[in-house]
C-alpha cells in the first residue's frame, strides 16, 4: 500500500514510517524538517501542513496517518487546522483505505497546555466526522491518543529525576510507551483493522484512569 505520514522526520512519525517500510509498504513522508529515513520505498516531502495552499498534489494514497504536531507553539494551526487540510486533500475520497489521526490522551483529560488540549480535543470530534464521510468508501478513520512517549520532545521531564518520579507515581504501568510501540498500534488500526471506526483509542499506561481517592484510614 501507499502510505502518507505527516511529521515523519522524528519520534512517533519516524517510527511509524519505519514500521510500514519494514512491512513492505511504500511511504511518503511529509515534514517541515529535511531529515528522513533513507530507503528505496521512502519519499520525503518538505512541507508545512498548516499552509493549505502549499500542500503538493499526491495521487494514489491508500493510508493517511496525520502525525505532524507541535506542543505549545501554533498548536491550533498545526495540530488541528493542518490535520484537517491534509485529510480533506488526500483522505476523504474514493480509494482511501484508512485514516489515522495521532491525537493525545490530554484531549480526554485536559491536563496539558490550553491550546494543545484544545487542538487535540478538536481532533477527536473531527475523527468522528471523517469516519462518517469515508464509510461510503469502506474506509475507517480513528484517532490514536498516546500518553507519555519516550521521544526527544519529552527529554526535559524524562531527564529530571524528581519530575519523572511524580509522573511514574500517576502511571499505573510505571513506564511510558516507546515510539515503536505506538507505531505498532498505528499499523494495527490502519492495516489489520477493517471494522473499528470513529473511535479514539487511548494508549497511556493507565494514566488517564488513575483517579486517586484520598480518605482518612
Amino acid at each position: 500500500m501507499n502510505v502518507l505520514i505527516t511529521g515523519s522526520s522524528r519520534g512517533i512519525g519516524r517510527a511509524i514510517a519505519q514500521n510500514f517500510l519494514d512491512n513492505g509498504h511504500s511511504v511518503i513522508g511529509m515534514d517541515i524538517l529535511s531529515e528522513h529515513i533513507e530507503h528505496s520505498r521512502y519519499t520525503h516531502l518538505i512541507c508545512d501542513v498548516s499552509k493549505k495552499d502549499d500542500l503538493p498534489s499526491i495521487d494514489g494514497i491508500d493510508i493517511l496517518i496525520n502525525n505532524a504536531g507541535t506542543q505549545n507553539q501554533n498548536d491550533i494551526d498545526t495540530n488541528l487546522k493542518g490535520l484537517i487540510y491534509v485529510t480533506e486533500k488526500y483522505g476523504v475520497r474514493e480509494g482511501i483505505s484508512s485514516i489515522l489521526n495521532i491525537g493525545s490522551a490530554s484531549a480526554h483529560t485536559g491536563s496539558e497546555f490550553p491550546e494543545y488540549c484544545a487542538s487535540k480535543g478538536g481532533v477527536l470530534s473531527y475523527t468522528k466526522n471523517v469516519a462518517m464521510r469515508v464509510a461510503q468508501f469502506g474506509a475507517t478513520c480513528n484517532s490514536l491518543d498516546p500518553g507519555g512517549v519516550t521521544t526527544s520532545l519529552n527529554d526535559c521531564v524524562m531527564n529530571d529525576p524528581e519530575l519523572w518520579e511524580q509522573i511514574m507515581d500517576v502511571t499505573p504501568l510505571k513506564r511510558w510507551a516507546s515510539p515503536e510501540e505506538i507505531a505498532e498500534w498505528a499499523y494495527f488500526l490502519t492495516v489489520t483493522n477493517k471494522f473499528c471506526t470513529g473511535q479514539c483509542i487511548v494508549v497511556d499506561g493507565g494514566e488517564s484512569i488513575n483517579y486517586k481517592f484520598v480518605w482518612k484510614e
Side-chain angles (χ1 to χ4, degrees), residues 181-203:
E181 269 185 294
I182 301 303
E184 290 176 1
W185 276 94
Y187 192 86
F188 171 79
L189 286 169
T190 54
V191 177
T192 306
N193 167 57
K194 302 296 182 184
F195 196 62
C196 174
T197 193
Q199 302 305 306
C200 306
I201 313 298
V202 179
V203 180

Side-chain angles (χ1 to χ4, degrees), residues 11-213:
I12 293 173
R14 189 182 183 98
I16 293 174
Q18 187 64 62
N19 186 297
F20 275 90
L21 290 169
D22 291 345
N23 281 283
H25 301 277
S26 296
V27 175
I28 299 172
M30 186 180 289
D31 205 297
I32 59 173
L33 302 175
S34 61
E35 59 186 273
H36 63 274
I37 298 171
E38 296 289 346
H39 195 285
S40 60
R41 282 184 276 103
Y42 180 88
T43 302
H44 192 71
L45 303 176
I46 299 176
C47 181
D48 184 346
V49 298
S50 70
K51 303 287 193 294
K52 182 179 181 180
D53 294 335
D54 292 344
L55 295 176
S57 295
I58 306 173
D59 295 324
I61 297 302
D62 301 302
I63 295 173
L64 169 61
I65 299 178
N66 287 301
N67 171 74
T70 60
Q71 189 178 55
N72 207 26
Q73 184 180 0
N74 301 320
D75 295 358
I76 299 293
D77 287 339
T78 301
N79 301 351
L80 183 55
K81 289 183 178 180
L83 182 147
I84 292 173
Y85 298 154
V86 169
T87 303
E88 297 299 325
K89 186 174 182 68
Y90 308 116
V92 184
R93 57 170 182 77
E94 188 173 358
I96 193 71
S97 173
S98 181
I99 299 170
L100 182 67
N101 301 320
I102 304 301
S104 172
S106 297
H108 300 261
T109 64
S111 57
E112 207 163 329
F113 308 110
E115 285 194 15
Y116 182 81
C117 290
S119 68
K120 293 298 187 178
V123 169
L124 302 191
S125 296
Y126 181 65
T127 294
K128 297 178 185 298
N129 175 276
V130 172
M132 290 187 288
R133 290 190 288 137
V134 299
Q136 63 180 310
F137 310 125
T140 63
C141 178
N142 295 289
S143 74
L144 174 58
D145 306 335
V149 181
T150 55
T151 66
S152 58
L153 181 67
N154 296 314
D155 279 346
C156 61
V157 293
M158 291 192 300
N159 296 330
D160 186 313
E162 184 176 343
L163 288 176
W164 187 245
E165 183 179 359
Q166 292 178 39
I167 291 169
M168 289 299 99
D169 186 54
V170 297
T171 306
L173 288 183
K174 304 304 178 189
R175 68 178 183 87
W176 274 3
S178 68
E180 291 72 23
E181 269 185 294
I182 301 303
E184 290 176 1
W185 276 94
Y187 192 86
F188 171 79
L189 286 169
T190 54
V191 177
T192 306
N193 167 57
K194 302 296 182 184
F195 196 62
C196 174
T197 193
Q199 302 305 306
C200 306
I201 313 298
V202 179
V203 180
D204 70 347
E207 183 177 352
S208 61
I209 62 170
N210 185 17
Y211 294 97
K212 290 189 174 180
F213 180 67

